[in-house]
């Protein structure tokens, strides 16, 4: 993989860090000159991914775990995002990806996290193992640059 | 966030701001519900004009308030979402649960 730029960090899995993940994504992506829509889409994507790790991955954990975020800029303006947790894993991935299905209706989860991530990226891969965690890998190719000539 | 209740129209107006995610939605929910149960409004207006970001946790927040208000005969109005927030609302099919409205553009004096 020919990596043009890369940024990797661990977050403590507490909800206050959802905003921090979005801010980091903005800072990483802005030099690539995304459109306002691309930036808004990808901010939503990282927010959903990190929230899933915190809300579902580390559900009931005694001490907050860590969420690892890896962002890469690849050739042809392809943005790569990987979000990893070492939490409980997803027992049934196809169920989890059904729009409006949620394992936590009592917490007012809308069940749209995966649907939004899928819709706002070009590819989404889920690797998960019970009791070992989940790795989400996504790619989104940005439009050609619209910088002033 | 600002909450205002208009007795005459039985309308509860919640002016949301900043970013609505899982973290902030948890905090907003308690305050909004306290006002709902205090006034039992006919209409709950969620003013989104000053909201810069919203993800599916915001959708969960709206769905939860709908579940409280709907049995009471109340309705929800989502007012002035920014384009990328309107996109999330459409994606989630929120127009089936709520009225999405736009204020008339302000007169330029």
């Amino acid at each position: 993989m020919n990596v043009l730029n890369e940024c990797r960090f661990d977050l403590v899995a507490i909800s206050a860090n959802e905003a921090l993940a979005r801010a980091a994504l903005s800072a990483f992506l802005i030099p690539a000159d995304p459109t306002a829509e691309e930036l808004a889409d990808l901010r939503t994507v990282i927010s959903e991914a990190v929230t899933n790790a915190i809300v579902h991955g580390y559900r009931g954990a005694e001490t907050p775990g860590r969420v690892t975020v890896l962002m890469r800029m690849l050739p042809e303006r392809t943005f790569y995002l990987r979000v990893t947790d070492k939490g409980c894993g997803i027992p049934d991935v196809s169920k989890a990806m059904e729009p409006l299905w949620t394992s936590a209706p009592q917490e007012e989860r809308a069940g749209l996290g995966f649907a939004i991530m899928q819709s706002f990226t070009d590819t989404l891969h889920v690797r998960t193992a019970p009791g070992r965690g989940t790795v989400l890998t996504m790619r989104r190719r940005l439009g050609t640059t619209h910088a002033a000539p | 966030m600002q909450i205002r209740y208009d007795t005459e129209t039985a309308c509860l107006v919640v002016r949301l701001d900043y970013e609505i995610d899982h973290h902030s939605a948890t905090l907003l929910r308690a305050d909004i519900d306290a006002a709902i149960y205090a006034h039992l409004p006919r209409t709950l207006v969620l003013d989104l004009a000053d909201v810069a970001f919203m993800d599916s946790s915001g959708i969960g927040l709206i769905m939860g308030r709908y579940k409280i208000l709907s049995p009471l005969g109340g309705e929800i109005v989502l007012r002035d979402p920014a384009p990328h927030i309107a996109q999330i609302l459409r994606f989630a099919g929120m127009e089936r649960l709520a009225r999405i409205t736009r204020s008339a553009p302000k007169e330029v004096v």
Side-chain angles (χ1 to χ4, degrees):
Chain A
M1 197 184 289
N2 182 5
V3 177
L4 304 178
N5 195 9
E6 180 175 296
C7 169
R8 185 195 303 251
F9 54 90
D10 280 0
L11 295 169
V12 175
I14 53 172
S15 63
N17 282 337
E18 293 152 8
L20 181 55
R22 293 193 296 275
L25 179 136
S26 298
F28 183 81
L29 212 55
I30 280 170
D33 198 20
T35 64
E37 191 190 344
E38 287 165 343
L39 185 60
D41 286 359
L42 290 166
R43 281 167 57 82
T44 310
V45 163
I46 196 170
S47 199
E48 299 291 352
V50 169
T51 300
N52 269 359
I54 293 169
V55 172
H56 301 294
Y58 291 116
R59 169 172 305 277
E62 279 170 31
T63 51
R66 296 287 188 278
V67 182
T68 303
V69 175
L70 171 63
M71 299 186 283
R72 283 179 175 148
M73 195 49 78
L74 305 177
E76 300 186 324
R77 296 176 58 70
T78 301
F79 175 69
Y80 170 101
L81 173 65
R82 197 171 76 192
V83 177
T84 307
D85 70 66
K86 293 189 172 7
C88 64
I90 305 170
D92 185 343
V93 174
S94 56
K95 193 90 199 158
M97 292 180 91
E98 269 176 33
L100 299 173
W101 185 86
T102 176
S103 60
Q106 72 287 357
E107 290 168 35
E108 298 191 345
R109 307 304 313 157
L112 288 172
F114 270 118
I116 286 174
M117 284 186 267
Q118 270 184 316
S119 165
F120 289 179
T121 57
D122 299 323
T123 62
L124 162 70
H125 292 288
V126 184
R127 212 174 72 224
T128 187
R132 294 184 46 201
T134 300
V135 184
L136 302 183
T137 310
M138 292 164 274
R139 284 168 197 253
R140 163 88 178 249
R141 192 167 168 186
L142 306 178
T144 46
T145 180
H146 53 96
Chain B
M1 178 179 60
Q2 286 181 312
I3 300 184
R4 192 164 47 77
Y5 181 67
D6 181 352
T7 329
E8 218 162 285
T9 56
C11 184
L12 184 67
V13 180
V14 178
R15 205 182 164 96
L16 297 161
D17 51 23
Y18 198 51
E19 301 192 315
I20 305 179
D21 61 7
H22 155 247
H23 181 71
S24 63
T26 312
L27 309 170
L28 295 169
R29 190 159 64 200
D31 289 346
I32 296 172
D33 285 356
I36 289 176
Y37 289 118
H39 301 294
L40 300 176
R42 197 174 302 146
T43 308
L44 169 65
V45 177
L46 298 176
D47 189 319
L48 302 171
D50 294 332
V51 176
F53 175 85
M54 193 180 94
D55 65 11
S56 70
S57 298
I59 299 297
L61 182 73
I62 296 166
M63 285 165 63
R65 308 298 65 72
Y66 174 81
K67 281 181 193 152
I68 294 172
L69 276 172
S70 175
L72 305 171
E75 64 155 355
I76 297 185
V77 172
L78 304 173
R79 192 159 74 191
D80 294 338
H84 59 279
I85 291 170
Q87 185 194 5
I88 300 269
L89 295 174
R90 271 197 307 276
F91 183 86
M94 283 298 103
E95 68 281 354
R96 291 195 300 265
L97 310 188
R99 210 142 48 83
I100 302 173
T101 66
R102 248 163 232 302
S103 308
K106 296 234 174 6
E107 294 280 328
V108 179
V109 181

